[in-house]
Amino acid sequence: MGEAKTLFEKIWDSHVVEEQEDGTCLLYIDRHLVHEVTSPQAFEGLRQAGRRVRRPDATLAVPDHNVPTTDRARGIADETSRIQVETLEQNCREFGIELFGMNDVRQGIVHVIGPEQGFTLPGTTIVCGDSHTSTHGAFGALAFGIGTSEVEHVLATQTLLQKKPKTMRIAVEGELGFGVGAKDVILAIIGKIGTAGGTGHVIEYAGPVVRALSMEGRMTICNMSIEAGARAGLIAPDEKTFRWLEGRPMAPKGALWQQAVAFWRTLPSDPDARYDREVVLDASTIEPMVTWGTSPQDVVPITGRVPDPKDEPDPKRRAAMERALAYMGLEPGTPMQEIRIDKVFIGSCTNARLEDLRVVARIVQGRKVAPQVHAMIVPGSGIVKHLAEEEGLDRIFRDAGFEWREPGCSMCLGMNPDRLQPGERCASTSNRNFEGRQGKGGRTHLVSPAMAAAAAITGRLTDVRKLVA
Amino acid sequence: MQPFRKLTGIAAPLPLVNVDTDRIIPAHWLKTIRRTGLGVGLFESLRYREDGSENPDFVLNREPYRRSVILITGENFGCGSSREHAPWALLDFGIRCVIAPSFADIFFNNCFKNGILPIVLPQATVDALMAEAETASEPVFTVDLEEQLIHRPSGNQPVPFEVDPFKRHCLLEGLDDIGLTLKRLERIEAFEARQRREQPWLWTRAA
């Protein structure tokens, strides 16, 4: 037996094609997800150089960022969006890549459909021209976002040139309190280590809380690794992982499945493996979380108040806080639960899976969205939408006054028509509260699906524990 | 890719921390299918007022910084989305070097693929360079990648910087990564043959 290795190191080492003297590695990529926004220039590059796609069978494409979430029978109204989606379709035809088109039930947010189809598998390297590719790490894969030049590099060579990142282990010990979920855990982690806390690292999430989470919850945690600055986040695969994947359309079958599972069981970090950095969180201290500013690290428990920049000693950070509060239209010291909202967005690659929707349904069933609030739910994929409707969730949502939409990235980044108006305040289950992210001048408060549901009902940021007690 | 050897020109101070790629280029600019033409959208929310006119207070709208080729800024520059549109927008504006105490990983990598040199320096050094960029009558710096030195308008001691040797080599020569990798095709094929044997379940979609 060799030296003890982490999960990350096992995956990394088994994918190095070649290592240069300076440590730059040629890393093999097993799975490549492609969407319409970050791929057109990459395909154009291939065409100009007369290159082909090396592994069309390891590549899967879907339009998600630009697609409308209302009636699709009329196509895409915005011309530039339509051209981008059509360009993806043409490129996939030309280069022989499987595409789930806008009207295919399997269409959805790229990070929802990868796992859903069993395209995402443990022990693999997965990339996509999208920073939230870290989501797939929930299955014990090394998954990270890349730029368009790297998309082209993967299309042409099925490899990437990479330096080995450092490792960080974040253990969440203890037990989660009532009304606290995966989104609160990752927001608390980002609040603790900061948006650059994971820079240069791959994070492995561990501990009893992570083990106890569903696959959906694990995806939520890994999804926001990038908001902690990390390239990737991953979680050791276990029986829960295998059960979740078994029988999915692109997952291995029969004897190959047995062989794969036997291999996947060897992946978890060895007990005495070492990490470059270790962080421990006590789950009992985590409350439902909400952001107050314009960076995901600007986060407080819902029972807290808007912080005062005067208390920040560092002048650059103080200036950033003052700017954030001015943008958010908030006064220091305001209790978070007194902040009124205009919109609620439940969706995104962070929180648009079936389990998220079930949580929302439990809270809003038999209640009504506050009269001044516009609330929408955008399922993560056509299949999530279909399953939710089979369970009757759509009726609960509609009866409560939510809009029930078609799947896509939607108001997480507002590339399609789903945007905040200037000054509008939104409780959102997405991942970024940057200035202008959900629409120019829009004000985003990041929350869990349960907290978004509670805010929709009361019309202000609300401690969900009060509604379900 | 255009080689990067020695760059001389105006440096703009941008004393903000955690500048995300949505700030560098907002999402509505991402609908393009080209790499060029994004310079006009660079820092849109900072650069333009509500009515679309230029915000005269923003550094890149003031002389001499309109002609900037270097940006000096705060920690964690380029965080957030992986959009390569961020370096494309900087490049289209004319910026070919960004100096900061730290960068987000994906943005940092994306810069090198586009002939932009991101330089990491200690906070105190960045502060000193930023002060010179703000106060010098003609804030012209020279970034010499071969010597790994930044020459400053004050004529003070040039500032040395570190850069990954392979990335430096690619920038100096303007090398196309893909061309380099395709020369290693035999190694890639050997890897694939072995993986196909050892982990056949990863190849079930292959013809």
Side-chain angles (χ1 to χ4, degrees):
Chain A
M1 177 121 180
E3 64 181 306
K5 284 184 179 183
T6 65
L7 163 64
F8 158 74
E9 286 161 342
K10 291 179 191 183
I11 302 174
W12 178 275
D13 291 351
S14 67
H15 285 85
V16 173
V17 173
E18 191 171 40
E19 182 167 350
Q20 299 177 18
E21 272 177 30
D22 74 344
T24 304
C25 293
L26 191 62
L27 195 70
Y28 196 77
I29 302 302
D30 297 321
R31 296 286 185 263
H32 188 188
L33 289 153
V34 174
H35 66 78
E36 79 277 19
V37 178
T38 56
S39 67
Q41 296 87 349
F43 285 114
E44 184 61 24
L46 291 184
R47 251 191 305 272
Q48 281 167 358
R51 290 170 178 147
R52 63 183 183 92
V53 173
R54 177 159 186 83
R55 290 277 312 271
D57 65 294
T59 313
L60 180 63
V62 70
D64 57 2
H65 285 59
N66 277 280
V67 297
T69 55
T70 49
D71 182 14
R72 290 193 177 159
R74 284 172 289 178
I76 303 176
D78 180 274
E79 194 192 354
T80 49
S81 288
R82 183 169 47 77
I83 289 171
Q84 206 166 49
V85 170
E86 286 171 358
T87 303
L88 179 68
E89 290 164 359
Q90 285 158 11
N91 284 329
C92 287
R93 267 198 303 276
E94 180 179 341
F95 290 95
I97 294 168
E98 184 170 7
L99 170 91
F100 294 167
M102 194 170 79
N103 294 311
D104 188 319
V105 71
R106 298 169 299 174
Q107 181 268 343
I109 306 173
V110 67
H111 309 308
V112 175
I113 68 151
E116 195 169 72
Q117 293 296 320
F119 186 73
T120 300
L121 294 174
T124 57
T125 48
I126 304 177
V127 297
C128 174
D130 192 288
S131 58
H132 290 110
T133 307
S134 57
T135 313
H136 309 265
F139 293 84
L142 175 61
F144 54 94
I146 55 178
T148 298
S149 294
E150 291 180 314
V151 169
E152 185 180 338
H153 195 281
V154 175
L155 288 171
T157 71
Q158 206 59 33
T159 64
L160 275 177
L161 287 161
Q162 297 280 305
K163 275 266 173 79
K164 191 174 182 174
K166 294 189 191 132
T167 54
M168 183 189 297
R169 181 178 191 266
I170 298 183
V172 190
E173 303 289 349
E175 212 175 306
L176 287 181
F178 171 71
V180 181
K183 182 68 163 282
D184 304 304
V185 173
I186 188 63
L187 285 172
I189 288 171
I190 295 162
K192 184 178 168 93
I193 71 172
T195 55
T199 302
H201 289 77
V202 165
I203 298 175
E204 180 177 341
Y205 302 98
V209 167
V210 173
R211 294 260 67 82
L213 283 174
S214 65
M215 291 315 297
E216 286 80 0
R218 294 178 186 182
M219 282 189 256
T220 298
I221 298 231
C222 289
N223 172 273
M224 288 187 73
S225 301
I226 184 73
E227 273 64 54
R231 268 319 272 289
L234 35 65
I235 293 173
D238 56 14
E239 298 308 312
K240 203 182 282 182
T241 315
F242 310 146
R243 270 201 308 278
W244 199 95
L245 283 172
E246 191 170 11
R248 303 232 167 222
M250 296 182 186
K253 307 278 185 302
L256 279 179
W257 171 258
Q258 298 304 333
Q259 195 184 351
V261 170
F263 173 74
W264 295 338
R265 289 203 173 105
T266 69
L267 288 171
S269 296
D270 299 327
D272 43 355
R274 282 209 295 267
Y275 299 79
D276 294 302
R277 196 177 157 199
E278 298 206 38
V279 175
V280 177
L281 254 80
D282 173 5
S284 67
T285 64
I286 303 174
E287 293 189 67
M289 304 296 280
V290 56
T291 61
W292 54 266
T294 55
S295 164
Q297 70 188 7
D298 299 341
V299 67
V300 289
I302 183 64
T303 51
R305 292 168 183 268
V306 177
D308 194 332
K310 285 203 194 83
D311 302 333
E312 170 59 55
D314 179 77
K316 286 191 184 72
R317 284 169 196 256
R318 186 161 62 237
M321 281 176 82
E322 282 164 357
R323 190 188 158 89
L325 289 183
Y327 180 85
M328 292 297 290
L330 293 175
E331 291 297 323
T334 308
M336 294 308 294
Q337 298 191 68
E338 284 180 12
I339 298 170
R340 304 194 79 80
I341 51 148
D342 307 299
K343 287 205 166 145
V344 170
F345 171 63
I346 295 170
S348 87
C349 56
T350 314
N351 282 126
R353 288 170 280 266
L354 187 58
E355 180 184 273
D356 300 313
L357 303 185
R358 285 177 180 154
V359 166
V360 173
R362 275 201 293 278
I363 292 160
V364 306
Q365 182 155 32
R367 292 183 162 122
K368 291 282 178 202
V369 171
Q372 77 281 12
V373 172
H374 177 261
M376 62 194 272
I377 301 177
V378 181
S381 72
I383 290 175
V384 168
K385 180 168 189 264
H386 172 75
L387 293 173
E389 289 175 354
E390 273 194 346
E391 291 183 15
L393 302 186
D394 60 317
R395 220 173 35 247
I396 296 172
F397 299 145
R398 285 200 176 100
D399 287 349
F402 283 88
E403 284 187 23
W404 175 242
R405 299 283 192 99
E406 299 295 325
C409 300
S410 182
M411 203 193 274
C412 177
L413 84 169
M415 277 192 78
N416 75 348
D418 307 339
R419 264 175 239 146
L420 296 181
Q421 296 302 307
E424 275 187 336
R425 189 179 297 284
C426 180
S428 177
T429 67
S430 55
N431 41 55
R432 288 186 177 137
N433 50 349
F434 299 153
E435 279 186 31
R437 170 78 179 185
Q438 294 193 289
K440 201 176 171 191
R443 294 161 170 168
T444 304
H445 294 275
L446 301 177
V447 289
S448 70
M451 288 282 287
I457 300 301
T458 64
R460 51 190 165 72
L461 298 175
T462 298
D463 189 340
V464 64
R465 293 172 296 192
K466 290 181 184 167
L467 286 196
V468 288
Chain B
M1 189 176 78
Q2 201 187 338
F4 187 116
R5 295 195 179 99
K6 194 188 264 191
L7 175 71
T8 297
I10 304 284
L14 186 71
L16 295 174
V17 295
N18 294 321
V19 172
D20 57 73
T21 53
D22 277 81
R23 185 79 69 84
I24 298 171
I25 187 86
H28 71 94
W29 289 94
L30 272 51
K31 296 181 185 183
T32 179
I33 56 171
R34 316 241 164 268
R35 289 173 199 248
T36 51
L38 292 166
V40 64
L42 178 70
F43 296 122
E44 186 178 55
S45 63
L46 298 166
R47 212 160 130 210
Y48 304 104
R49 292 187 288 207
E50 288 286 301
D51 64 0
S53 64
E54 282 188 0
N55 172 5
D57 297 333
F58 185 61
V59 62
L60 295 182
N61 291 331
R62 301 202 312 261
E63 288 296 348
Y65 305 111
R66 281 180 178 281
R67 295 173 278 128
S68 295
V69 297
I70 300 164
L71 194 66
I72 306 175
T73 187
E75 64 186 33
N76 200 26
F77 187 80
C79 60
S81 155
S82 64
R83 60 188 68 170
E84 199 160 319
H85 308 69
W88 293 339
L90 287 164
L91 192 65
D92 200 55
F93 180 89
I95 287 169
R96 295 207 57 206
C97 174
V98 184
I99 301 170
S102 60
F103 292 89
D105 290 336
I106 304 179
F107 175 83
F108 188 76
N109 277 335
N110 284 344
C111 281
F112 285 100
K113 311 285 183 191
N114 291 281
I116 296 176
L117 173 62
I119 298 177
V120 179
L121 291 172
Q123 182 73 57
T125 313
V126 173
D127 289 345
L129 294 178
M130 195 168 321
E132 279 194 46
E134 274 164 5
T135 54
S137 58
E138 194 65 359
V140 174
F141 292 67
T142 294
V143 176
D144 187 333
L145 180 57
E146 259 159 322
E147 301 288 334
Q148 293 181 222
L149 286 174
I150 303 170
H151 299 274
R152 327 146 66 153
S154 59
N156 287 348
Q157 191 73 15
V159 174
F161 63 88
E162 294 297 316
V163 56
D164 178 280
F166 176 69
K167 290 190 165 99
R168 174 176 176 272
H169 171 70
C170 289
L171 271 187
L172 285 172
E173 305 300 325
L175 291 178
D176 164 16
D177 273 1
I178 298 177
L180 285 179
T181 299
L182 285 173
K183 288 186 186 155
R184 316 303 300 164
L185 202 55
E186 274 182 35
R187 297 294 296 264
I188 297 172
E189 285 169 348
F191 178 95
E192 288 176 337
R194 182 164 55 86
Q195 194 193 54
R196 210 171 174 143
R197 259 191 334 268
E198 294 174 359
Q199 298 183 50
W201 61 87
L202 294 178
W203 291 78
T204 48
R205 282 179 86 212

